[in-house]
Amino acid sequence: AGVTAVLSYVAALGVDGIWLSPFFPSPMRDFGYDVSDHCGVDPLFGTADDFDRLVAEAHRLGLKVIIDQVWSHTAAEHPWFVESRASRDNVRADWYVWADAQPDGSPPNNWQSWMGGPAWRWEPRRQQYHLHNFLPQMPDLNFHCAAVQDAVLDIARWWLDRGVDGFRLDTANLYFHHPGLASNPPAPEGRRGPSPELMQQLLHNAD
């Protein structure tokens, strides 16, 4: 409602539209980029009706509305992950990136998280690691799974049907990973960054 209240001022600036960062239900470990329900509105920001009013007023003023879509990962609290981590044979068992430990119990490869440490977290329920390119509580979806692709497209249709004009796709370069889970080679001398993930050539976990 607060955004809607100032849309006339925004339109008076001569801009074409507005971009909303994530407003979906979330445990808020990463400013809402850890989504627990892709088709809802977190009470912190209002209601679904508030959102509909925002879109209607923006369009009345000639403004487009673009919203963030976070599709590379979810929050650990997302119902998809709760089901996926429960076993290796449930309907969503392959919706996230799971891998066995190496013989010594260490992670499957040397991929690094953008938020520090290895990009793998051990899940005792499945006795496997899951991939997380960001916080350990933000597991990565498996875009090699056709059902995941269909579910994401359903999310897109949901918001387009509500009147959204377009999307900003968060971390689109991390949707896919090499299915063989090969370790990344070291970055060449002189091209290594100041943190572990920037000391590698990101050949197998980023595009």
Side-chain angles (χ1 to χ4, degrees):
V3 176
T4 305
V6 297
L7 282 178
S8 58
Y9 168 73
V10 174
L13 297 174
V15 301
D16 299 306
I18 60 171
W19 160 28
L20 300 177
S21 56
F23 53 83
F24 319 106
S26 167
M28 296 295 168
R29 296 187 185 93
D30 188 31
F31 304 100
Y33 284 91
D34 46 338
V35 178
S36 57
D37 176 3
H38 285 88
C39 296
V41 176
D42 196 289
L44 179 67
F45 302 109
T47 66
D49 287 341
D50 290 331
F51 179 80
D52 290 340
R53 282 190 286 271
L54 185 157
V55 172
E57 178 64 5
H59 288 168
R60 186 186 72 81
L61 294 166
L63 296 171
K64 303 288 189 182
V65 178
I66 293 174
I67 65 172
D68 250 313
Q69 289 291 272
V70 189
W71 293 340
S72 70
H73 55 266
T74 71
E77 290 83 357
H78 198 293
W80 296 350
F81 185 70
V82 172
E83 186 169 8
S84 186
R85 74 182 180 188
S87 70
R88 299 191 188 192
D89 58 3
N90 65 78
V91 69
R92 292 192 172 92
D94 61 348
W95 279 42
Y96 292 81
V97 184
W98 296 99
D100 292 332
Q102 295 192 57
D104 63 358
S106 59
N109 58 34
N110 68 351
W111 299 351
Q112 298 292 305
S113 164
W114 288 94
M115 291 185 171
W120 298 94
R121 185 189 199 192
W122 180 251
E123 174 49 65
R125 297 169 184 84
R126 285 183 54 133
Q127 293 290 292
Q128 284 184 308
Y129 283 96
H130 73 75
L131 178 65
H132 62 89
N133 279 301
F134 298 98
L135 291 174
Q137 301 90 348
M138 295 162 64
D140 271 58
L141 286 164
N142 177 18
F143 271 79
H144 292 287
C145 173
V148 169
Q149 297 179 24
D150 290 342
V152 164
L153 291 174
D154 285 343
I155 294 167
R157 293 186 190 98
W158 166 264
W159 289 110
L160 292 172
D161 288 346
R162 291 196 86 100
V164 166
D165 299 291
F167 304 129
R168 180 261 177 182
L169 302 180
D170 183 61
T171 62
N173 62 319
L174 294 172
Y175 287 0
F176 279 92
H177 62 281
H178 191 288
L181 304 182
S183 285
N184 285 326
E189 289 286 350
R191 296 183 61 187
R192 295 177 185 173
S195 54
E197 74 278 4
L198 296 176
M199 296 179 187
Q200 301 178 353
Q201 295 184 62
L202 305 180
L203 298 182
H204 303 301
N205 64 331
D207 180 0

